[in-house]
């Protein structure tokens, strides 16, 4: 690739000086390296003071982190994206509803709720000729799951339609009043 920037200025000590491996070692005593200290040691050194020096912040240093804030306005909600998101969320809610109903039915069946309540109802509604209402056959797991699935499908359709309608209504009202203002903050 061709460099089209043209001639570049040479910085003294950068491009013309020796590379780090080519530099000559500094003259002076060869002892351990001591990095520069941010705060000066107390008079007399650490040994004279008897304790370690206390680091004090600089006068201009902040003790609390700075928070950046931005005020934003939600001027428009795209109905198509609202419909897609609400459709996916309502499908997830429908699946959770079916799974929760199946788990609840299994727990109640294992506890014997259906047999106890079904026995009581069949005694109350039964006569000498008939056994009465059979709750266990009416509330069987397949029947409960079919009913819950129908409710979940209706919920998916209604939630998607209502969220899309809500986006249209929000866009109309945001045209009149300007939308919802949000203040976003970021901690550094």
């Amino acid at each position: 690739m061709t460099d089209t920037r043209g001639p570049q200025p040479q910085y003294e000590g950068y491009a013309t000086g020796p590379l780090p491996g080519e530099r000559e070692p500094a003259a002076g005593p060869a002892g351990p390296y001591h990095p520069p200290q941010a705060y000066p040691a107390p008079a007399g050194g650490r040994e004279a003071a008897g304790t370690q020096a206390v680091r004090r912040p600089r006068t201009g240093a902040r003790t609390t982190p700075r928070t950046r804030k931005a005020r934003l306005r939600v001027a428009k909600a795209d109905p198509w994206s609202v419909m897609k998101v609400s459709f996916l969320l309502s499908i997830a809610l429908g699946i959770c509803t079916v799974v929760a109903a199946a788990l609840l039915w299994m727990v109640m069946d294992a506890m014997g709720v259906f047999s106890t309540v079904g026995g009581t109802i069949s005694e109350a509604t039964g006569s000498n000729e008939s056994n009465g209402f059979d709750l266990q056959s009416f509330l069987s797991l397949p029947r409960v799951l079919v009913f819950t699935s129908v409710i979940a499908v209706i919920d998916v359709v209604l939630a998607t339609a209502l969220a899309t309608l809500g986006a249209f209504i929000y866009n109309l009202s945001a045209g009149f009043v300007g939308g919802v203002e949000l203040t976003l903050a970021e901690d550094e």
Side-chain angles (χ1 to χ4, degrees):
M1 180 172 215
T2 307
D3 187 7
T4 58
R5 295 179 294 172
Q8 298 294 316
Q10 295 293 326
Y11 297 104
E12 190 172 320
Y14 176 68
T16 59
L19 295 173
E22 299 172 350
R23 293 188 185 138
E24 302 205 10
Y33 174 72
H34 296 289
Q37 299 295 318
Y39 302 102
R46 288 188 181 178
E47 293 81 19
T51 61
Q52 291 187 356
V54 177
R55 298 184 95 181
R56 294 188 183 119
R58 296 184 305 250
T59 56
R62 293 185 175 181
T63 57
T64 59
R66 194 177 100 197
T67 303
R68 294 189 325 174
K69 292 183 180 178
R71 287 186 65 135
L72 300 174
R73 186 170 49 97
V74 180
K76 183 182 180 211
D78 185 31
W80 177 249
S81 65
V82 169
M83 185 184 78
K84 289 188 293 186
V85 169
S86 65
F87 178 70
L88 288 178
L89 290 177
S90 60
I91 282 181
L93 180 67
I95 291 171
C96 290
T97 303
V98 171
V99 170
L103 288 176
L104 184 64
W105 188 93
M106 289 179 198
V107 167
M108 290 175 68
D109 187 45
M111 290 173 50
V113 172
F114 295 128
S115 61
T116 306
V117 174
T120 305
I121 290 177
S122 63
E123 285 179 15
T125 59
S127 64
N128 293 338
E129 293 127 14
S130 67
N131 292 335
F133 182 72
D134 188 13
L135 183 68
Q136 287 179 316
S137 65
F138 182 74
L139 291 180
S140 64
L141 182 61
R143 185 175 278 184
V144 168
L145 289 181
V146 166
F147 178 74
T148 307
S149 300
V150 168
I151 295 296
V153 168
I154 291 171
D155 179 51
V156 166
V157 172
L158 285 179
T160 304
L162 287 176
T164 308
L165 182 64
F168 278 114
I169 292 173
Y170 176 79
N171 289 338
L172 288 175
S173 64
F176 293 121
V177 297
V180 175
E181 289 188 11
L182 302 173
T183 300
L184 303 177
E186 176 186 24
D187 292 335
E188 288 185 7

